[in-house]
Amino acid sequence: MTYFMFLLLMALVVGLVAVASNPTPYFAALGLVVAAGVGCGVLVGHGGSFLSLVLFLIYLGGMLVVFAYSAALAAEPYPEAWGSRSVLGYVLVYLLGVGLVAGFFWGGWYEGSWVVVDGLKEFSVLRGDVSGVAVMYSSGGGMLVICAWVLLLTLLVVLELTRGLSRGALRAV
Amino acid sequence: MNPYVLMILLSSLGLGTTLTFASSHWLLAWMGLEINTLAITPLMAQHHHPRAVEATTKYFLTQATAAAMILFASTTNAWMTGEWSITDLSDPLANTMFMTALALKIGLAPMHFWMPEVLQGLDLLTGLILSTWQKLAPFALIIQTAQNIDPLLLTLLGVTSTLVGGWGGLNQTQLRKILAYSSIAHMGWMIIVIQYAPQLTLLALGTYIIMTSAAFLTLKMSLTTKVSTLATTWSKSPILTATTALVLLSLGGLPPLTGFMPKWLILQELTKQDLPIIATTMALAALISLYFYLRLCYAMTLTISPNTTNSTTPWRTQTTQASMPLALFTMATLGLLPMTPAILTLTT
Amino acid sequence: MTPVHFSFSSAFILGLMGLAFHRTHLLSALLCLEGMMLSLFIALALWALQFESTGFSTAPMLLLAFSACEASTGLALLVATARTHGTDRLQNLNLLQC
């Protein structure tokens, strides 16, 4: 389990390196998909299977699909993947930087810090993170109302931003 | 824009700031900042011309980044200390990161580059909201956390902001850019004194809001965005021209006007704290700012337009805009200095 | 600093550096912003799980809702920019400089 978590955490960082190293947006979206999938794995490993499901369904299933779709807006004649020269340079620089900082902290990581803390695994009927939903529908109801208001606000914001001078949203794109 | 939509946007602006004011948990404070950013975006892009959309994009990117950094700083603090409340930001790394993010959010000097460009792309009323109401929520956060932040960082941000705010405005001919640089300089004055006397920061913020509201409303009334058109306002409304010069001098901080009050008290506080060099630097930086305010006054009141007028002066028609807020803010900008003892008693 | 803390911190900082230093497309900037939000989601969720304060696991869900709002606003701005500037390259956003 420890080795598996180590691999997942490393894959998370590598996924963000793949996004941050300035490739063409399709490839950056691919890197973000990898990072989000790995993030789901990290959460499952820590006992948060419900949060992992939320991340998978909403983030990966909802938002990233829209991002992958709008990558069509940024289509380039010569797409740059991670193999092309400038992007590869950034990838190497970022990986080297992360490696150096990790080496700086390496001494402080005793064996116990690698063990996954999952105290809620054994004796509870429900998983611990489900209680977050219960909080959201009981004492945290105000936050839920604020969230609903913000979603309404975002709907209007998006409509107003894309409206333009009486033209359809897809005309000029 | 549909009035219902406008109502929802404006009330969301109110909700965001109120949420940040009322919160003691970092997550709610972050939510308030996000609501503010989201709600002002369509107001900024409401005319849909390229400059407005560009300004909106730049504003959105900087504000979203700054808000994410604030949440990341508080998460780091929570991982280190286990505390989520705003006043307990005690981890030094988290502190520095938070202050950097907040400087990006309100446009303090090394992170100020978005501010003149964004303000230049907006219409005057949205610019007014951007430079007054949107500053309140970040200042609520900074006043609660300022005691933990490294004093060197705060002093550096303050001095750099006043210097850059003076320097950057020197070569500008666009009034909104000049007001943006004036905003940067005033933010510097507020930040420099925050650890010694937070009530003076609030006082400076209040007077800045009054003065900049008067300036923006004046420009809105006379429909000017450039120095060259400012030079012809005398033919449209002479009395407004006279008060505009005084409003600008008040922004610059000259004695019989309101703008002198915060500068005077802040300089006094810095001297009391045995920081004469910083106080001198601030006073000299205010002098650079004063130069471009004076240049505006000169262009407006002491010159006439260099064009040969091939018509008689324009009709002085009655304006259809509401002039009551302008009158109130102008009066407050020009005459609050005698109230200094009362205001000091109220704030301390 | 535990390995988990190190991983999401470096993920966030990588996203921030990507956003700050080199962006060709507006969409890449938005993707970097999403990457930062992803690492914040993981950070909040892991905080709730590791410190066993399970009531706090509401926070990542709220964060996800807000970051969805932010992403959709960003994409709306992408459409608006593509319409007014003809492209989504960030070098073309230069009308306001002087």
Side-chain angles (χ1 to χ4, degrees):
Chain A
M1 191 65 190
T2 307
Y3 289 114
F4 191 57
M5 286 309 287
F6 173 68
L7 281 180
L8 283 182
L9 291 177
M10 210 169 72
L12 179 68
V13 176
V14 170
L16 258 293
V17 167
V19 179
S21 56
N22 200 17
T24 305
Y26 337 110
F27 296 108
L30 182 63
L32 202 55
V33 167
V34 169
V38 167
C40 288
V42 172
L43 290 185
V44 167
H46 281 79
S49 51
F50 179 70
L51 284 176
S52 166
L53 187 67
V54 166
L55 184 63
F56 190 78
L57 289 182
I58 297 179
Y59 193 89
L60 207 55
M63 287 157 72
L64 279 183
V65 167
V66 181
F67 268 97
Y69 168 70
S70 32
L73 284 179
E76 280 185 332
Y78 304 107
E80 289 190 324
W82 299 285
S84 77
R85 185 163 299 172
S86 71
V87 182
L88 188 64
Y90 285 126
V91 169
L92 291 180
V93 166
Y94 283 146
L95 284 181
L96 199 68
V98 173
L100 282 181
V101 180
F104 177 71
F105 286 114
W106 198 266
W109 288 340
Y110 49 97
E111 201 170 340
S113 68
W114 285 99
V115 175
V116 176
V117 178
D118 189 6
L120 298 159
K121 198 159 53 180
E122 303 294 336
F123 299 112
S124 56
V125 180
L126 288 173
R127 304 302 301 232
D129 49 356
V130 178
S131 77
V133 184
V135 168
M136 193 164 19
Y137 287 116
S138 57
S139 58
M143 311 277 277
L144 198 66
V145 171
I146 290 173
C147 255
W149 176 264
V150 171
L151 289 171
L152 172 71
L153 170 70
T154 310
L155 177 70
L156 296 175
V157 165
V158 169
L159 284 178
E160 282 294 328
L161 278 179
T162 52
R163 196 159 57 102
L165 301 167
S166 72
R167 288 181 291 172
L170 285 175
R171 184 85 44 88
V173 176
Chain B
M1 191 180 284
N2 190 320
Y4 296 111
V5 176
L6 189 64
M7 189 270 291
I8 285 186
L9 293 177
L10 288 179
S11 55
S12 298
L13 273 182
L15 172 71
T17 305
T18 316
L19 206 57
T20 310
F21 276 5
S23 62
S24 62
H25 191 286
W26 274 111
L27 188 74
L28 267 172
W30 174 78
M31 282 161 76
L33 294 175
E34 282 291 319
I35 293 174
N36 260 346
T37 308
L38 289 180
I40 202 174
T41 313
L43 291 178
M44 293 168 81
Q46 60 185 332
H47 295 302
H48 294 287
H49 57 75
R51 278 179 289 126
V53 171
E54 184 180 326
T56 315
T57 309
K58 287 178 176 173
Y59 183 74
F60 174 76
L61 282 180
T62 45
Q63 297 295 307
T65 313
M69 274 177 77
I70 287 174
L71 194 63
F72 180 62
S74 56
T75 311
T76 308
N77 186 53
W79 271 82
M80 292 294 188
T81 64
E83 276 293 338
W84 277 103
S85 92
I86 291 180
T87 44
D88 287 341
L89 194 69
S90 48
D91 187 55
L93 179 67
N95 263 324
T96 311
M97 206 151 44
F98 166 73
M99 193 55 224
T100 318
L102 217 62
L104 179 62
K105 210 163 179 55
I106 60 177
L108 281 173
M111 278 76 79
H112 70 283
F113 291 98
W114 61 273
M115 180 91 192
E117 299 190 7
V118 168
L119 208 56
Q120 176 64 27
L122 304 181
D123 59 322
L124 287 165
L125 274 184
T126 317
L128 173 62
I129 297 176
L130 184 76
S131 51
T132 56
W133 183 255
Q134 296 292 83
K135 308 273 190 214
L136 289 179
F139 261 96
L141 291 181
I142 195 176
I143 282 198
Q144 291 178 65
T145 51
Q147 298 307 322
N148 297 323
I149 297 171
D150 188 11
L152 180 65
L153 178 68
L154 285 177
T155 313
L156 217 57
L157 283 174
V159 173
T160 330
S161 293
T162 41
L163 281 172
V164 166
W167 217 321
L170 285 185
N171 207 15
Q172 300 295 337
T173 54
Q174 299 284 331
L175 292 178
R176 281 168 291 185
K177 285 202 171 187
I178 289 181
L179 282 174
Y181 280 109
S182 126
S183 158
I184 294 167
H186 279 93
M187 292 296 138
W189 279 89
M190 291 167 211
I191 290 300
I192 195 111
V193 81
I194 197 163
Q195 275 194 329
Y196 311 116
Q199 74 273 12
L200 284 187
T201 302
L202 284 181
L203 189 147
L205 184 63
T207 45
Y208 167 69
I209 285 176
I210 292 173
M211 291 186 296
T212 203
S213 302
F216 270 106
L217 288 174
T218 309
L219 298 185
K220 170 89 179 139
M221 182 65 78
S222 53
L223 298 174
T224 34
T225 51
K226 295 196 294 286
V227 176
S228 55
T229 45
L230 199 63
T232 56
T233 44
W234 61 269
S235 63
K236 281 189 256 177
S237 56
I239 298 178
L240 191 63
T241 310
T243 55
T244 309
L246 290 175
V247 164
L248 287 170
L249 290 181
S250 178
L251 268 172
L254 283 193
L257 305 168
T258 305
F260 180 58
M261 170 167 54
K263 290 198 165 55
W264 178 25
L265 294 173
I266 287 170
L267 282 182
Q268 187 201 13
E269 182 66 33
L270 287 177
T271 322
K272 252 197 269 176
Q273 299 287 341
D274 205 10
L275 299 165
I277 296 182
I278 292 174
T280 315
T281 318
M282 298 295 281
L284 290 178
L287 217 55
I288 311 179
S289 292
L290 190 61
Y291 172 73
F292 60 75
Y293 296 124
L294 273 178
R295 205 170 57 129
L296 290 187
C297 296
Y298 174 72
M300 190 166 39
T301 51
L302 299 180
T303 58
I304 57 170
S305 165
N307 308 323
T308 314
T309 43
N310 49 10
S311 63
T312 52
T313 47
W315 285 99
R316 292 177 193 167
T317 48
Q318 282 278 325
T319 177
T320 52
Q321 304 180 37
S323 52
M324 191 65 177
L326 173 63
L328 283 177
F329 279 117
T330 308
M331 289 312 295
T333 306
L334 300 188
L336 276 188
L337 188 65
M339 300 284 286
T340 306
I343 295 173
L344 265 186
T345 321
L346 283 178
T347 53
T348 49
Chain C
M1 185 170 265
T2 59
V4 170
H5 189 181
F6 172 75
S7 311
F8 74 74
S9 299
S10 56
F12 183 89
I13 289 171
L14 279 171
L16 186 62
M17 284 170 74
L19 180 59
F21 287 142
H22 34 71
R23 299 271 54 104
T24 327
H25 294 280
L26 178 57
L27 188 58
S28 314
L30 293 176
L31 280 170
C32 275
L33 209 57
E34 282 315 298
M36 286 154 68
M37 283 298 164
L38 171 70
S39 64
L40 278 178
F41 179 88
I42 291 173
L44 288 179
L46 289 183
W47 190 87
L49 293 169
Q50 290 230 332
F51 287 68
E52 296 181 12
S53 61
T54 52
F56 191 72
S57 52
T58 317
M61 291 182 243
L62 295 173
L63 176 93
L64 201 59
F66 270 72
S67 76
C69 294
E70 209 178 87
S72 58
T73 310
L75 289 176
L77 279 172
L78 180 72
V79 170
T81 316
R83 190 186 284 151
T84 52
H85 288 70
T87 172
D88 80 322
R89 288 183 167 265
L90 284 179
Q91 285 113 344
N92 278 41
L93 298 183
N94 55 9
L95 294 176
L96 297 170
Q97 291 169 356
C98 69

